Amino acid sequence: IDFEIFDTSSDATRLRLKSLQWVIARSAGVWRLQQSAVVENPDSRVVIVAPDAAPALSVALAPGHGEVEGVFGRLPEGVVIRDGVAEIRGPILPGAEGFSLQLAYDLDTRDTSLDTSISLPDAVEELAVYVQDFGIDVDAGGLHPARPTREQDVIYQSFLGFELPAGSRLPFRVSALPPATELPQLALALGAVCDLLGLPCLLVLRVLAVHVLVLALVVRVVVLAALL
């Protein structure tokens, strides 16, 4: 077994928030958010910041967050939640992954739509946001849409941002789409009205409903094929 002994430092000026990730999901009517972050320490010393000093780095939580949990229900050492921000004070080891953070919490809203924002107290090299796709429309602001991902048979829409400066605030909105069967049902209903009125439009509307159903099926097949 090899042991390495590092000197310590309180100088956090060279630390970088290498990556920040949001995973947004909805279950049983509750929005659930998981956040993870990786801090890079390019120096050869372990960075530890005193409790009465400014934090080494900060990760903002989503507005309206509930009780914050870490891995196994505990916050990692050197992390304090204060005023909607996770303050990182170390120890932060040397290396590309000198410190990692994983948090999870529910959001205080029961709306089927989620209107939130991603605030960045410190600069972030890479931001990734994944949203569970249960039939949604996402307005990701300045983030770039990426290829959907799949995790344990759950599909997530993906959005990326790079080299984001400190102080950035990115609006992010998730809206539930209406059921895919609403348009065919409406067409059939209108067709029934035409039939009662003796108008020759029922056949046309029925054909329209079938075409919409076929189109929706083709889109689903294409998306699933792209993920395989």
Side-chain angles (χ1 to χ4, degrees), residues 13-226:
T13 55
R14 287 172 50 82
L15 297 179
R16 293 193 294 266
L17 198 52
K18 186 176 181 180
S19 65
L20 176 64
Q21 182 182 99
W22 282 38
V23 179
I24 303 173
R26 183 174 171 83
S27 178
V30 176
W31 290 98
R32 181 76 170 173
L33 202 151
Q34 295 178 317
Q35 284 180 262
S36 60
V38 174
V39 177
E40 180 179 10
N41 179 5
D43 290 334
S44 59
R45 297 185 176 188
V46 176
V47 176
I48 302 176
V49 176
D52 57 348
L57 290 170
S58 298
V59 175
L61 309 178
H65 69 84
E67 182 179 357
V68 181
E69 302 174 348
V71 178
F72 305 116
R74 298 175 55 187
L75 292 178
E77 180 184 1
V79 174
V80 177
I81 305 299
R82 182 179 291 114
D83 298 329
V85 173
E87 298 180 348
I88 301 173
R89 299 182 177 278
I92 303 170
L93 301 177
E97 299 182 0
F99 186 88
S100 61
L101 173 68
Q102 292 182 329
L103 303 173
Y105 49 86
D106 294 337
L107 296 178
D108 185 20
T109 177
R110 292 284 177 171
D111 293 340
T112 56
S113 297
L114 177 64
D115 195 353
T116 187
S117 61
I118 302 173
S119 297
L120 304 177
D122 290 295
V124 176
E125 291 189 12
E126 179 179 336
L127 169 65
V129 182
Y130 302 97
V131 188
Q132 179 187 358
D133 193 347
F134 51 87
I136 57 173
D137 178 62
V138 178
D139 181 358
L143 298 181
H144 306 288
R147 184 176 179 178
T149 62
R150 181 165 59 181
E151 181 71 23
Q152 298 181 349
D153 294 328
V154 178
I155 298 174
Y156 293 86
Q157 293 192 31
S158 306
F159 303 89
L160 301 176
F162 302 95
E163 302 298 337
L164 301 171
S168 298
R169 182 180 179 276
L170 308 172
F172 199 92
R173 180 173 177 80
V174 182
S175 303
L177 293 175
T181 57
E182 282 189 1
L183 183 56
Q185 288 177 348
L186 177 60
L188 292 175
L190 291 175
V193 173
C194 291
D195 193 35
L196 289 175
L197 296 176
L199 301 176
C201 61
L202 177 58
L203 179 60
V204 175
L205 290 172
R206 284 177 175 170
V207 171
L208 174 62
V210 172
H211 279 234
V212 173
L213 286 173
V214 171
L215 179 59
L217 178 60
V218 170
V219 172
R220 289 179 181 269
V221 170
V222 171
V223 172
L224 291 176

